[in-house]
Amino acid sequence: MEQFGGTFFILSSVVITSTIIFFLVRKYGKEFIYESFPKEKIDKIENSKVFQNPKNIELIIGILFALIGTPKDLLVYIGGLLPIKPTRFILISTFARIPSVISSTIAGAYFVEGNWKFGFIVYGISFIITIIGLVIIRFFDKEKITKRALRELK
């Protein structure tokens, strides 16, 4: 039962911190981001064709937030620079994380109980689902926009 409390706490924290960071970046611009991330990386991402296309931006952001292992902190900061409405960004960045948050919360609960085997099984299943998702995305992503977006975040 504590998994539900943990999931709710994490998602609530995500909404609050993402909103604060998003609006701080909107107010102070790139200079605010340079305090935490290298200027070259931010400029590369911001000037990328992938992140300049408003038609695809919500889909790309949703996919990147849903994938396990993507740098979500950096994505939140970049979100403030993107041509996306604040409400849409906060909703996408929160709801796309739900599978990852749930699997982390469940695995964490198993680890706390000392049940390492099931904790790693949960992470393994999450990893397999992510790989399957990537394969499906790449199959349908004829323009390869997701692959370019991932490459530019690295």
Side-chain angles (χ1 to χ4, degrees):
M1 191 59 147
E2 54 270 345
Q3 292 97 330
F4 295 113
T7 300
F8 177 76
F9 175 78
I10 291 170
L11 289 175
S12 299
S13 300
V14 162
V15 170
I16 293 166
T17 57
S18 296
T19 302
I20 290 169
I21 292 169
F22 183 91
F23 284 110
L24 284 172
V25 171
R26 283 275 166 105
K27 182 174 181 172
Y28 296 109
K30 289 187 282 188
E31 299 302 319
F32 181 76
I33 301 174
Y34 294 154
E35 297 294 322
S36 302
F37 300 99
K39 180 182 186 315
E40 298 78 30
K41 189 171 199 170
I42 301 305
D43 290 344
K44 178 183 173 187
I45 294 169
E46 184 185 28
N47 296 322
S48 151
K49 290 179 184 175
V50 172
F51 286 99
Q52 292 300 316
N53 186 345
K55 182 179 89 174
N56 295 327
I57 205 155
E58 290 182 6
L59 174 65
I60 292 168
I61 290 294
I63 290 169
L64 293 175
F65 271 105
L67 294 175
I68 295 171
T70 55
K72 292 168 181 55
D73 294 340
L74 177 59
L75 283 173
V76 173
Y77 281 86
I78 295 296
L81 300 174
L82 298 175
I84 187 171
K85 292 179 180 180
T87 307
R88 300 278 301 171
F89 179 80
I90 301 303
L91 288 173
I92 291 168
S93 69
T94 301
F95 287 107
R97 291 185 198 194
I98 288 175
S100 178
V101 169
I102 289 173
S103 66
S104 295
T105 307
I106 292 170
Y110 281 124
F111 289 142
V112 167
E113 294 171 0
N115 196 340
W116 294 88
K117 179 180 175 184
F118 282 108
F120 284 118
I121 288 172
V122 169
Y123 275 131
I125 292 169
S126 299
F127 181 74
I128 291 168
I129 291 170
T130 299
I131 297 299
I132 291 169
L134 278 172
V135 169
I136 291 169
I137 289 165
R138 289 199 175 146
F139 179 76
F140 288 105
D141 187 5
K142 302 300 182 203
E143 297 176 32
K144 306 296 181 213
I145 57 175
T146 305
K147 186 176 182 179
R148 278 191 312 234
L150 284 169
R151 187 175 57 241
E152 290 172 9
L153 283 173
K154 292 182 180 177

